[in-house]
Amino acid sequence: NPIISAIYAGVVQGNAKQASEKTSLAIGEGLDAETILNEGLIAAMKEVGRLFEEGEYFVPEMLVSARAMQSGMAILRPVLIAQDIRPAGKVVIGTVKGDLHDIGKNLVSMMLEGAGFQIIDLGTDVAPEKFLEAIRQNRPDIVGMSALLTTTMLNMSKTIQVLKDGGVRDGIKIIVGGAPVTEKYAAEIGADGFSPDASQAASLARRLMG
Ligand code: B1M
């Protein structure tokens, strides 16, 4: 379908106007919302992830594409909600306590949204108790933690302990990332997954959903 192709191209090229206008057009033409989502927006973000992993796209290109995807999502979301189309899963995400860096976390959120997940973003400087409360309230499938400082990285481990003590650890999958975080550290603190970048975080989340 040429309209779906135009949505796809709008997102891959980072053209937010094209992505949102063509999404409106597709809805107006009566195209299926799930098709617009899966073959337009999500397929395009998958391609953006691939281009990033191949080194053709860098963080700025990925951010611009993610914004284009979000502008299409903003138009499609009410239609999806009205049709009760289920998201791929629910994710609670935040940057851990003491840490104010949020560019990487936002990028991860956008890639997860691009992969069809519903995102509850707790922001930065998120205390372990705040993660716990958000999990109790929202019942997510996945909890994501980001840290950019070697000092705040330790709060990932503290948060996992608080989630264990709060009795919610077993019902969720925990994924972690951020510049100082490694696969080895993730395993040490008992996280379920680590991803070095936003694009692989989306494929990791899909894998963890089974
Ligand atoms: Co800060 N800072 N900073 N900083 N800052 C670093 C991290 C630092 C490495 C710079 C340096 O000294 N070379 C250094 C940390 C040293 C260390 O701990 N080893 C540092 C420092 C020291 C500080 C302050 C302490 C400086 C000071 O005040 N003395 C201070 C701390 C504030 C605080 O948090 N309490 C501070 C402040 C700031 C700014 C506010 C000025 C600003 C943040 C603005 C913002 O985020 N809104 C800032 C910035 C911009 C940086 C650098 C330059 C860039 C970080 C960034 O956004 N990268 C950074 C240097 C660097 O990393 N080269 C630095 C781009 C982003 C897309 O990458 O965040 O790595 P990243 O995310 C990636 C992956 O890591 C991964 O996917 C993302 C996309 O591919 N990922 C995940 C991230 N989270 C994930 C979660 C996942 C999965 C993957 O699952 C849930």
Side-chain angles (χ1 to χ4, degrees), residues 146-149 153 177-182 196:
S146 179
L148 264 285
L149 301 170
M153 187 170 96
V181 182
T182 60

Side-chain angles (χ1 to χ4, degrees), residues 98-104 145-146 148-150 175 177-179 195-198:
D99 199 320
L100 301 174
H101 297 85
D102 69 356
I103 299 168
M145 288 188 269
S146 179
L148 264 285
L149 301 170
T150 43
I175 64 175
S195 158
D197 62 48

Side-chain angles (χ1 to χ4, degrees), residues 59 62-63 93-95 99-112 121 124 145-148 177-179 195-199 201:
V59 167
M62 195 153 68
L63 273 174
I93 193 167
T95 302
D99 199 320
L100 301 174
H101 297 85
D102 69 356
I103 299 168
K105 186 258 305 157
N106 292 345
L107 205 45
V108 170
S109 297
M110 291 191 265
M111 289 304 287
L112 288 172
D121 187 345
T124 59
M145 288 188 269
S146 179
L148 264 285
S195 158
D197 62 48
S199 152

Side-chain angles (χ1 to χ4, degrees), residues 9-15 19 44-45 48 57 59-71 110-111:
V11 172
V12 172
Q13 290 157 16
N15 184 336
M45 281 314 281
V48 170
Y57 272 21
V59 167
E61 286 90 352
M62 195 153 68
L63 273 174
V64 174
S65 283
R67 279 199 201 108
M69 181 273 296
Q70 286 193 319
S71 69
M110 291 191 265
M111 289 304 287

Side-chain angles (χ1 to χ4, degrees), residues 47-59 61-62:
E47 173 63 6
V48 170
R50 192 190 66 79
L51 290 167
F52 177 76
E53 279 164 32
E54 309 245 299
E56 270 190 57
Y57 272 21
F58 295 96
V59 167
E61 286 90 352
M62 195 153 68

Side-chain angles (χ1 to χ4, degrees), residues 1-203:
N1 181 295
I3 307 177
I4 302 280
S5 303
I7 295 171
Y8 180 95
V11 172
V12 172
Q13 290 157 16
N15 184 336
K17 188 161 174 277
Q18 176 167 326
S20 58
E21 283 178 4
K22 297 298 176 185
T23 301
S24 297
L25 181 64
I27 295 167
E29 295 274 313
L31 290 177
D32 177 40
E34 223 167 340
T35 308
I36 302 173
L37 179 67
N38 291 325
E39 292 172 23
L41 299 169
I42 292 182
M45 281 314 281
K46 248 192 210 158
E47 173 63 6
V48 170
R50 192 190 66 79
L51 290 167
F52 177 76
E53 279 164 32
E54 309 245 299
E56 270 190 57
Y57 272 21
F58 295 96
V59 167
E61 286 90 352
M62 195 153 68
L63 273 174
V64 174
S65 283
R67 279 199 201 108
M69 181 273 296
Q70 286 193 319
S71 69
M73 266 312 282
I75 286 162
L76 194 60
R77 195 173 288 121
V79 182
L80 291 171
I81 290 169
Q83 294 184 4
D84 203 20
I85 290 173
R86 282 172 179 275
K90 209 190 272 184
V91 181
V92 160
I93 193 167
T95 302
V96 295
K97 188 174 177 183
D99 199 320
L100 301 174
H101 297 85
D102 69 356
I103 299 168
K105 186 258 305 157
N106 292 345
L107 205 45
V108 170
S109 297
M110 291 191 265
M111 289 304 287
L112 288 172
E113 191 178 14
F117 286 88
Q118 182 192 340
I119 309 299
I120 296 134
D121 187 345
L122 305 179
T124 59
D125 189 19
V126 181
E129 297 73 25
K130 204 169 157 197
F131 274 107
L132 177 62
E133 195 190 302
I135 293 164
R136 286 186 171 145
Q137 254 179 31
N138 298 291
R139 312 222 150 263
D141 305 288
I142 296 174
V143 173
M145 288 188 269
S146 179
L148 264 285
L149 301 170
T150 43
T151 47
T152 58
M153 187 170 96
L154 306 173
N155 288 330
M156 290 179 159
S157 166
K158 282 197 187 130
T159 303
I160 293 180
Q161 191 56 51
V162 168
L163 301 189
K164 277 185 187 156
D165 295 344
V168 302
R169 171 66 186 96
D170 291 340
I172 52 171
K173 301 285 184 194
I174 297 177
I175 64 175
V176 294
V181 182
T182 60
E183 183 98 60
K184 183 167 170 280
Y185 180 70
E188 267 168 32
I189 63 172
D192 298 300
F194 159 79
S195 158
D197 62 48
S199 152
Q200 291 178 59
S203 35

